[in-house]
Amino acid sequence: MSFAFPPPPPVAVPVAGSDHLFAVHRVYCVGRNYAAHAREMGKDPNKEPPFFFLKPADGVVPAATAIHYPPGTSNYHHEVELVVALREGGRRIPVAQALGKVFGYAVGLDMTRRDLQLAARDLGRPWDFGKGFDESAPMAPLTPASRWSGPDRGAITLHVNGELRQSADLADLIWPVADTISFLSDYYTLMPGDLIFTGTPAGVGAVVPGDRLLGRVEGLEPLVVEILPAL
Ligand code: MN
């Protein structure tokens, strides 16, 4: 037996300071993980636990420098996030063992067609059109966990055209990284190659073609992305 046509290559994220690539399996995303962002979306952070959605693995843009304005939206938003990359998977992973499963960390953007996401949310429909589209997950190269002081604390910021839009600290996460991995592993069999976008701080907003985004997490490779005109 052979493939009817050549299978697509895996999406591969470079590892900073090495020749290695990280092959992406799945992309999990936390919905609301900073209290101030939950409030700006009109929700009470104390009332509901964080929840999850997924993006397609090929929505990741590894070592991104530019992404296209997507079709079907007139309210395209930035969400800067800490991205966790797993080197090992498992089921029912205890919190105390969760960080041992992590290969590394990166800065990522959970790009969002906010108009489509909110319309779906308000109608009780799935978020896929708002969240899981082409080029919706640009990422910087990964930094190995052994070479970073996180993930319990560290500044996370996003600038658009030099102006500060999002600013928080990883210490503000409602669900820390270890808790998030453990929770997910109660619902999914986690695998090497899984990415987890850990949620965005307050200050999300719209971008347009020509805008230049700078995402930073203290101690990790920065992410600089230009928004290109629609294809
Ligand atoms: Mn997000």
Side-chain angles (χ1 to χ4, degrees):
M1 297 292 279
S2 63
F3 290 110
F5 52 88
V11 175
V13 180
V15 178
S18 88
D19 294 333
H20 288 153
L21 297 168
F22 177 94
V24 178
H25 176 245
R26 287 184 187 159
V27 181
Y28 299 96
C29 304
V30 184
R32 297 180 196 110
N33 209 5
Y34 293 83
H37 173 61
R39 282 192 288 271
E40 80 177 346
M41 299 307 289
K43 299 296 176 185
D44 178 356
N46 299 315
K47 211 165 145 189
E48 50 183 326
F51 58 91
F52 296 82
F53 58 91
L54 285 86
K55 288 180 185 259
D58 65 358
V60 170
V61 184
T65 56
I67 53 176
H68 295 87
Y69 197 94
T73 185
S74 54
N75 194 19
Y76 179 45
H77 274 209
H78 58 75
E79 296 192 358
V80 68
E81 309 201 357
L82 171 69
V83 183
V84 179
L86 299 187
R87 66 176 179 82
E88 242 181 68
R91 303 185 193 91
R92 295 183 292 279
I93 299 168
V95 171
Q97 291 173 23
L99 294 185
K101 309 286 188 187
V102 176
F103 171 77
Y105 298 91
V107 180
L109 287 163
D110 167 17
M111 297 304 294
T112 301
R113 296 192 281 211
R114 189 72 71 199
D115 40 4
L116 302 190
Q117 183 216 358
L118 294 185
R121 185 188 79 178
D122 294 345
L123 291 166
R125 291 177 181 168
W127 283 17
D128 303 50
F129 269 37
K131 289 289 196 178
F133 51 93
D134 299 340
E135 301 184 346
S136 60
M139 284 177 62
L142 283 162
T143 295
S146 58
R147 302 206 329 247
W148 187 46
S149 57
D152 293 334
R153 64 193 63 79
I156 177 169
T157 58
L158 183 91
H159 289 78
V160 178
N161 303 327
E163 185 181 316
L164 182 65
R165 295 281 184 85
Q166 295 186 267
S167 179
D169 196 283
L170 299 174
D172 302 333
L173 282 169
I174 296 171
W175 285 29
V177 171
D179 299 64
T180 301
I181 293 168
S182 177
F183 181 98
L184 267 177
S185 75
D186 288 341
Y187 290 82
Y188 293 92
T189 303
L190 296 180
M191 296 287 287
D194 284 342
L195 297 175
I196 304 169
F197 281 62
T198 56
T200 199
V204 300
V207 293
V208 295
D211 282 348
R212 189 180 159 88
L213 282 61
L214 166 60
R216 275 189 178 131
V217 171
E218 195 178 343
L220 299 182
E221 298 283 315
L223 175 61
V224 179
V225 175
E226 184 189 347
I227 308 298
L228 301 174
L231 287 169

